[in-house]
């Protein structure tokens, strides 16, 4: 007994099996990760080392070369890219596609730890993150306050905001731009230093010796134990001014005698503004192979909790968010999927001219598509533009099996058979044809999933999802379709059963005439096929080729470069002029936020503006 015959004789069993497919699919949807594209991210690990004040040549020799040599011996390394800037070294290691990102990061940390002793003592601890440190962030935030100074905003940001965003799952790194950490600024007077026979090294040594906090031991009595703390940390300009540099002829030479000391900021080489307001920028970078939408949702949820606790007058702007475009793309594909499903049902209704017959594919198509979600979950895939596109294309494949089964049963009913006879005999006739067609389609789609390289990895999920849709549609066509046909379709009364009878109709007569003409003129048919194939090849040569199409993400980037050697102040003045013009047309162009970075990555002559449209 075939599956179709079992389903016809046991319709409740067929209904339960279809419901199980639907339930499994619906249960899997909520657990599927959502991405713009399949996971094609390479395993990328970055090592960033800060050496404050060092020239690029020194950074390259003392840091970058040492780290490059250390990580070169790690297994699975594909490429190593390094850059040495003033005070900063960056090494980006890209691993093979099959390399686990966590294991790769662990190997890099171990390699860097082995050469830590070869780096200068003054460098900060190397930072190892599971992403490209120079990659574009998935979210840009701006923190602004009309009541707090930039130094106070920076302090609050680092104490209460950055750490909470960093701990979000999938976030690789949170970089702060335009920060204004409070610091003591010492402006040395070269003339006075020379007059007292002092050098910058003497001042540095005095600062190190006097601005320290050391353990001073313990004081123990019969009943108490006290920890002694020697607090010699300096915190005010007056205290720094009193630092003794040396004694000459009985006179004390202090720091205030050779320098001007005041409270300033640690670094003011970057300027950030949001809608013309001075702000502190936050860039959220995702880990390789993490979920952009999940990160965005988690960050927004965290920001909602933070907004309840922010000091009065402080605001957090979202400058840009890649997840907005990703969500819109997924929504568009889902909409297209629904429209396609409706159109397919309408086309079936037009050609079959029977509401009863149309109900069968209208029921079985959603069952097959929903069931695919369970296989997507089992295979470890995600909901993305390509997997949804595969489901969109699968509608045509899914409906084919159902129509083949339905049309053959309908034909036998038209020849005078009863519903049960037509369902059993009709399904038996086309079972092998449906199986052969499905196996052929699976054999075509599965090899797509084994293509090599980035493009091949991009279509891995696409091929498997299409093949999964064919598998489920075949099962549904051989079980639910004949069972429904035996209950829903209407038998032709008063018609004598004749297996050889064929329904006559205008479309059928046209089709029969076209087939006869093609058989009578085979050379014409072959010539037409060759002509179409040749024209397709010529068209393929002229069509532009790219991995993914260019799309409007409602975000505009305006890079600005001043002449080499320009100061931060000069660059900011020129950028401010452009900002003023953009603010003047902000409402007219429907610009939601104007986000400006000047002095980006220690380059005072570089700036860029991010425009996010509503």
């Amino acid at each position: 007994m075939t599956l179709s015959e079992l389903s016809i004789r046991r319709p409740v069993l067929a209904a339960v099996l279809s419901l199980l497919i639907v339930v499994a699919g619906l249960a899997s949807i909520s657990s599927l990760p959502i991405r713009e594209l399949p996971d094609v991210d390479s395993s990328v690990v970055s090592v960033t080392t800060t050496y404050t004040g060092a020239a690029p040549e020194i950074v390259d020799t003392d840091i970058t070369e040492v780290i490059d040599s250390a990580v070169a011996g790690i297994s699975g390394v594909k490429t190593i890219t390094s850059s040495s800037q003033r005070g900063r070294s960056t090494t980006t290691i890209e691993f093979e596609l099959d390399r686990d990102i966590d294991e790769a990061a662990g190997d890099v940390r171990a390699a860097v730890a082995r050469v830590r002793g070869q780096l200068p003592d003054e460098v900060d601890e190397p930072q190892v993150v599971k992403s490209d440190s120079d990659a574009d962030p998935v979210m840009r935030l701006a923190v602004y306050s009309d009541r707090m100074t930039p130094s106070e905003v920076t302090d609050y940001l680092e104490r209460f905001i950055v750490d909470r965003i960093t701990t979000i799952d999938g976030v690789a790194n949170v970089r702060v731009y335009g920060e204004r950490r409070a610091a003591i600024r010492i402006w040395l007077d070269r003339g006075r230093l020379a007059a007292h026979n002092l050098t910058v090294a003497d001042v540095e040594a005095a600062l190190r010796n006097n601005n320290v906090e050391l353990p001073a031991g313990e004081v123990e009595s019969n009943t108490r134990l006290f920890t002694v703390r020697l607090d010699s940390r300096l915190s005010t300009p007056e205290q720094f001014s009193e630092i003794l540099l040396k004694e000459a002829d009985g006179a004390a030479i202090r720091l205030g005698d050779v320098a001007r000391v005041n409270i300033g900021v640690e670094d003011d080489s970057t300027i950030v503004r949001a809608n013309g307001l001075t702000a502190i920028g936050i860039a959220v970078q995702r880990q390789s192979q993490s979920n952009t939408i999940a990160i965005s949702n988690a960050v927004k949820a965290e920001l909602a909790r933070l907004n309840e606790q922010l000091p009065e007058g402080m605001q957090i702007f979202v400058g840009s968010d890649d997840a907005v475009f990703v969500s819109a793309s997924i929504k568009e594909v889902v909409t297209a999927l629904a429209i396609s499903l409706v159109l397919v049902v309408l086309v079936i209704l037009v050609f079959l001219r029977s509401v009863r017959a149309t109900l069968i594919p209208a029921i079985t198509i959603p069952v097959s598509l929903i069931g695919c979600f369970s296989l997507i979950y089992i295979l470890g895939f995600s909901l993305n533009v390509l997997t949804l596109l595969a489901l969109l294309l699968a509608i045509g494949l899914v409906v084919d099996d159902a129509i083949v089964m339905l049309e053959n049963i309908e034909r036998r009913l038209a020849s005078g058979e009863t519903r049960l006879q037509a369902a059993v005999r009709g399904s038996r006739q086309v079972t092998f044809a449906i199986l052969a067609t499905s196996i052929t389609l699976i054999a075509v789609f599965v090899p797509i999933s084994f293509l090599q390289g980035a493009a091949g990895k991009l279509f891995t999920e696409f091929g498997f999802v299409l093949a999964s849709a064919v598998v489920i549609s075949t099962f549904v066509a051989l079980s639910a379709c004949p069972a429904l046909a035996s209950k829903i379709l209407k038998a032709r009364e008063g018609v004598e059963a004749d297996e050889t009878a064929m329904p006559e109709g205008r479309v059928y007569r046209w089709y029969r005439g076209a087939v006869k003409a093609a058989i009578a003129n085979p050379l014409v048919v072959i010539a037409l096929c060759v002509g179409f194939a040749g024209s397709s090849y010529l068209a393929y040569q002229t069509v532009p080729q790219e991995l993914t199409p260019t799309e409007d993400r409602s975000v505009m980037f305006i890079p600005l470069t001043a002449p080499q050697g320009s100061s931060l102040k000069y660059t900011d003045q020129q950028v401010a002029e452009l900002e003023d013009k953009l603010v003047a047309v902000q409402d007219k162009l429907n610009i939601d936020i104007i986000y400006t970075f000047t002095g980006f990555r220690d380059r005072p002559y570089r700036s860029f503006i991010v425009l996010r449209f509503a």
Side-chain angles (χ1 to χ4, degrees):
M1 182 181 295
T2 64
L3 176 61
S4 298
E5 293 178 9
L6 177 63
S7 300
I8 294 169
R9 300 182 188 279
R10 300 286 186 271
V12 175
L13 174 62
V16 170
L17 292 175
S18 295
L19 288 175
L20 285 176
I21 293 174
V22 173
V23 170
L26 293 176
S28 302
I29 291 177
S30 59
S31 302
L32 290 172
I34 302 175
R35 301 170 58 94
E36 179 183 1
L37 294 171
D39 179 13
V40 294
D41 293 336
S42 302
S43 296
V44 177
V45 179
S46 294
V47 183
T48 304
T49 309
T50 302
Y51 191 5
T52 305
E57 296 80 7
I58 301 299
V59 172
D60 184 62
T61 303
D62 293 353
I63 301 177
T64 305
E65 291 184 1
V66 175
I67 293 178
D68 286 357
S69 300
V71 300
I74 299 175
S75 63
V77 173
K78 185 177 180 181
T79 61
I80 298 176
T81 306
S82 303
S83 66
S84 300
Q85 303 171 359
R86 181 169 63 88
R88 183 169 178 258
S89 167
T90 302
T91 299
T92 302
I93 307 102
E94 180 183 357
F95 291 86
E96 298 294 342
L97 293 175
D98 56 351
R99 190 72 154 88
D100 182 79
I101 183 66
D102 294 318
E103 293 180 0
D107 291 344
V108 172
R109 290 191 183 95
V112 173
R114 287 194 296 270
V115 298
R116 179 63 180 88
Q118 302 177 28
L119 302 179
D121 295 336
E122 296 79 7
V123 304
D124 295 340
E125 195 66 28
Q127 301 296 314
V128 179
V129 296
K130 292 181 285 187
S131 72
D132 185 350
S133 62
D134 291 327
D136 291 334
V138 294
M139 293 186 74
R140 292 184 177 90
L141 311 176
V143 183
Y144 162 78
S145 176
D146 58 1
R147 303 192 179 188
M148 301 170 65
T149 65
S151 295
E152 292 172 336
V153 173
T154 300
D155 181 69
Y156 185 89
L157 183 68
E158 294 181 339
R159 287 173 179 266
F160 302 106
I161 298 179
V162 172
D163 288 344
R164 292 177 64 168
I165 297 178
T166 304
T167 56
I168 292 175
D169 187 32
V171 174
N173 191 26
V174 175
R175 302 191 66 176
V176 180
Y177 298 102
E179 67 270 31
R180 296 291 186 267
R181 298 187 186 94
I184 297 293
R185 303 299 295 265
I186 301 173
W187 307 90
L188 297 174
D189 188 316
R190 292 177 294 175
R192 293 183 182 181
L193 283 174
H196 292 290
N197 196 25
L198 291 171
T199 65
V200 176
D202 295 330
V203 176
E204 181 183 1
L207 289 171
R208 291 184 181 277
N209 293 332
N210 288 274
N211 187 31
V212 295
E213 184 174 359
L214 301 172
E218 299 174 341
V219 175
E220 184 177 357
S221 67
N222 292 333
T223 57
R224 301 293 298 274
L225 176 65
F226 297 95
T227 300
V228 179
R229 179 185 177 192
L230 177 62
D231 187 6
S232 60
R233 284 285 186 182
L234 307 180
S235 57
T236 65
E238 292 76 14
Q239 291 175 340
F240 276 90
S241 296
E242 292 299 318
I243 291 178
L244 180 64
L245 299 180
K246 77 172 188 177
E247 291 185 4
D249 299 328
I253 309 300
R254 301 185 181 278
L255 182 60
D257 298 328
V258 298
R260 176 169 53 88
V261 184
N262 57 26
I263 296 179
V265 296
E266 181 180 309
D267 182 17
D268 56 0
S269 61
T270 304
I271 298 174
V272 176
R273 282 190 294 271
N275 288 339
L277 304 174
T278 301
I280 309 298
I282 302 176
V284 181
Q285 291 180 300
R286 71 179 182 89
Q287 295 179 5
S288 298
Q289 305 172 353
S290 60
N291 191 327
T292 300
I293 294 181
I295 293 173
S296 175
N297 292 338
V299 171
K300 289 177 180 177
E302 190 64 41
L303 292 180
R305 290 188 287 267
L306 285 169
N307 285 330
E308 301 175 357
Q309 308 168 10
L310 292 178
E312 189 173 354
M314 180 177 288
Q315 301 178 48
I316 301 180
F317 300 94
V318 178
S320 64
D321 183 3
D322 289 354
V324 173
F325 173 77
V326 176
S327 300
S329 300
I330 297 296
K331 183 179 179 181
E332 288 296 324
V333 178
V334 171
T335 302
L337 189 63
I339 294 174
S340 299
L341 183 58
V342 173
L343 290 177
V344 165
V345 173
L346 290 177
V347 170
I348 295 173
L349 179 61
V350 169
F351 279 88
L352 294 183
R353 291 174 296 174
S354 169
V355 175
R356 289 173 176 266
T358 305
L359 280 175
I360 297 175
I363 294 172
T364 56
I365 292 174
V367 171
S368 301
L369 294 179
I370 294 174
C372 285
F373 291 113
S374 60
L375 291 183
I376 293 174
Y377 176 77
I378 292 172
L379 294 171
F381 296 157
S382 62
L383 283 182
N384 54 69
V385 173
L386 286 180
T387 52
L388 290 176
L389 175 61
L391 292 179
L392 185 62
L393 296 177
I395 292 178
L397 305 177
V398 166
V399 76
D400 283 348
D401 293 338
I403 289 178
V404 168
M405 178 67 72
L406 177 63
E407 194 278 333
N408 198 50
I409 295 175
E410 181 77 10
R411 181 182 65 82
R412 299 192 72 89
L413 283 173
S415 66
E417 293 184 354
T418 64
R419 288 187 300 185
L420 184 60
Q421 288 176 331
V424 172
R425 295 174 180 176
S427 61
R428 186 183 300 161
Q429 281 183 327
V430 298
T431 293
F432 181 78
I434 291 176
L435 288 175
T437 303
S438 300
I439 293 173
T440 301
L441 290 174
I442 293 172
V444 170
F445 294 131
V446 169
I448 296 176
S449 302
F450 294 98
L451 295 175
Q452 299 298 314
K457 194 171 183 181
L458 188 68
F459 284 95
T460 296
E461 298 185 11
F462 178 83
F464 275 122
V465 170
L466 271 176
S468 300
V470 172
V471 170
I472 296 179
S473 70
T474 301
F475 177 81
V476 173
L478 294 178
S479 58
C481 278
L484 287 170
S486 66
K487 301 297 181 183
I488 294 178
L489 295 182
K490 188 176 181 181
R492 290 0 179 228
E493 297 181 358
V495 179
E496 185 177 352
D498 182 6
E499 291 191 13
T500 62
M502 293 292 291
E504 289 290 337
R506 182 178 301 175
V507 175
Y508 176 77
R509 289 194 295 270
W510 287 349
Y511 174 71
R512 183 171 58 185
V515 172
K516 287 183 177 180
I519 295 174
N521 302 278
L523 295 179
V524 175
V525 175
I526 294 174
L528 288 174
C529 292
V530 172
F532 278 118
S535 62
S536 299
Y537 176 77
L538 294 176
Y540 173 78
Q541 300 297 319
T542 60
V543 173
Q545 300 180 15
E546 55 186 358
L547 184 60
T548 56
T550 302
E551 298 178 277
D552 184 4
R553 295 176 178 253
S554 297
V555 176
M556 178 182 292
F557 292 86
I558 305 177
L560 303 166
T561 303
Q564 287 283 349
S566 299
S567 65
L568 180 68
K569 182 178 180 181
Y570 173 82
T571 306
D572 187 55
Q573 288 175 346
Q574 307 307 310
V575 174
E577 294 183 10
L578 178 57
E579 268 187 299
D580 293 338
K581 295 178 181 179
L582 291 172
V583 171
V585 296
Q586 185 170 359
D587 294 334
K588 182 179 179 181
L589 298 180
N590 205 22
I591 300 174
D592 189 28
I593 189 170
I594 303 171
Y595 203 6
T596 305
F597 292 81
T598 304
F600 188 59
R601 290 177 181 156
D602 296 327
R603 299 172 185 171
Y605 58 91
R606 295 293 302 274
S607 178
F608 71 90
I609 299 176
V610 181
L611 304 179
R612 193 189 74 186
F613 295 88

